[in-house]
Amino acid sequence: MNRKIKSISLWLWHHLTPQVFAVICVLVITLLALFIPPYIGMADNGDFFRIFSSNGLFVNNANYDNLQFGHFVKEFGIYQYFNENPVAIYSSQSIFIQIALALNKVFWSDTVFDIRFLGGLQLALLLPAIYLLVAGLTAKMKGWPGYLVAALTVFIFADTAYTAYFNSFFSEGLILIMMLYIAAGFILLFQHKYNDYAMLGMIFVASLILITAKQQNAPIAVVIAVCGIIVFFIRRDQAFRISAMAAFLVIFMSGVVMYAFIPGEFVTINQYQTMTRGVLLDSENPEKSLQEMGINEQFALLKGTNFYQKYKMIDLDNELMQKDFYPNYNFVSVLSYYLENPKQLGKMLDLSARNSFSIRPFEMGNFEKVTGYQFKEKTHFFSAYSDAKAKLAPEKFSFLILWALIFLISYAVNAFKAFRVKDFRGMLLFDLIVLLIGSGFAVILVTIVGDGEADLTKHNFLFNVCFDLTILIGATSILQAYLKGRGEKHA
């Protein structure tokens, strides 16, 4: 008996690699959270209709409006006739909704869509991303350190604050997964563990899906394209360089196209809230702020209002608004205003920082009403990381500056050494850190200038992913440095 246990343990030690260990843990935790009662998901904040309506789905619950924000709803009707709803938003998420819908029709129902099919599909996409990420981080580790890194990866990215998005029509779940693939691709190129073309292709596909998942992600295309310059130089053969140049050029253009296809309705919504929930919100003299931007001072009455509120002071689409309000400012003029008023910009940045470390929005619940949980009640199953981060993270933007400087300087040292000997592959870890920090700050800037403080927590979701990836990479580097200092063979 003892001999049999010993042989099983030996087999596990050789075959249960850190990446396989991480995948098994993420699979078990997420299955328990999303697919075992009480089911966990995200309540609708009113955004779901934009994406599910054009994908052949409709609300089949008469009490749905009363469940919004507070309770997760897992079932939706499937159109049995022509769908007259136009495409509200262009998003790569629709591809995955259609795949989930097809699986639903094969294995469940032709008339009712269970959103857990979409959740299961996203879980299936997450697992290879976790495998590759851990494989890259532990490529030069042996023994217990690799399992420690795997456990930390599970602790952060299997957190239900992240995975609850899978059981929803929010694109955040897809955004999380694609950023993990991008990070894994850069790390594996750095480690030279797998085929370079395969990793380049993975970064390319993941970047396109990430950028086209949500219009707000369009600026991320610029960050990824710039960071792709170093990838171009890691090999000297012409075929790879042409492939890299073409890939990152297409990634850049995808951002341009995504920005161009933002529907006029959403431009108006964001523009309105940029002013009322941004420029005017913390202005000590809103009339003066409007005057500085060449806008009639009477619009100061709109301060603090949002586009969706039930009772409005004025029809937000009327001729007066279209003629004297919306045409008088844009992204550039708002950014210019903030730069000329640094005190107000500082207040908005601190406000954004306060909402940058909460992965799940405060106002949305996670449970179905039939389970008996309270309206807007959130799950705390496997959420220690997200709960601790939300409570302990500093609420000042200066902390984000400090975080960025520490990581950039720390990884720039080795990158500079690699650059001096023309080892461009050795610069890729620094390149990834630049990509993550650049993407994080881009999200914050675009949110503040493009939509004010409206729905900051959800808008800053990608910042959370980027921040958490830097924490994971940084912890791995510290562990490697510690082991190397002790001269251990595990390093």
Side-chain angles (χ1 to χ4, degrees), residues 96-148:
F96 300 95
I97 292 174
Q98 287 300 315
I99 295 171
L101 186 56
L103 293 171
N104 185 97
K105 289 179 178 179
V106 171
F107 297 105
W108 179 246
S109 171
D110 287 329
T111 58
V112 177
F113 176 68
D114 191 323
I115 204 167
R116 288 174 296 171
F117 278 94
L118 181 59
L121 177 61
Q122 293 187 92
L123 174 58
L125 289 170
L126 174 68
L127 297 179
I130 293 292
Y131 180 94
L132 293 169
L133 181 62
V134 175
L137 291 170
T138 63
K140 295 178 181 178
M141 290 182 177
K142 293 181 180 179
W144 65 266
Y147 295 94
L148 184 60

Side-chain angles (χ1 to χ4, degrees), residues 470-486:
T470 63
I471 295 301
L472 177 61
I473 294 167
T476 303
S477 296
I478 290 171
L479 178 59
Q480 288 176 321
Y482 169 75
L483 294 171
K484 188 176 181 181
R486 289 186 57 181

Side-chain angles (χ1 to χ4, degrees), residues 387-455:
D387 290 343
K389 188 171 73 165
K391 290 177 182 177
L392 301 176
E395 297 183 346
K396 291 289 185 180
F397 188 74
S398 54
F399 172 74
L400 303 188
I401 301 286
L402 182 62
W403 157 72
L405 288 175
I406 289 173
F407 274 88
L408 289 173
I409 293 170
S410 299
Y411 286 92
V413 174
N414 285 334
F416 181 70
K417 291 177 182 177
F419 176 75
R420 290 185 65 180
V421 295
K422 292 184 169 36
D423 176 17
F424 293 104
R425 191 181 294 272
M427 298 175 65
L428 283 177
L429 200 54
F430 171 72
D431 196 31
L432 175 58
I433 294 296
V434 171
L435 188 155
L436 295 172
I437 291 174
S439 297
F441 278 110
V443 166
I444 290 174
L445 180 64
V446 169
T447 299
I448 289 175
V449 180
D451 201 25
E453 58 80 68
D455 205 8

Side-chain angles (χ1 to χ4, degrees), residues 182 186 189 200 203 207 220-234 244 248 251-252 408 424 427-439:
I182 292 169
F186 272 87
L189 282 175
L200 177 63
I203 293 170
S207 297
I220 307 302
V222 178
V223 180
I224 296 174
V226 170
C227 291
I229 294 172
I230 293 180
V231 177
F232 174 84
F233 289 103
I234 66 171
F248 288 103
I251 288 170
F252 175 79
L408 289 173
F424 293 104
M427 298 175 65
L428 283 177
L429 200 54
F430 171 72
D431 196 31
L432 175 58
I433 294 296
V434 171
L435 188 155
L436 295 172
I437 291 174
S439 297

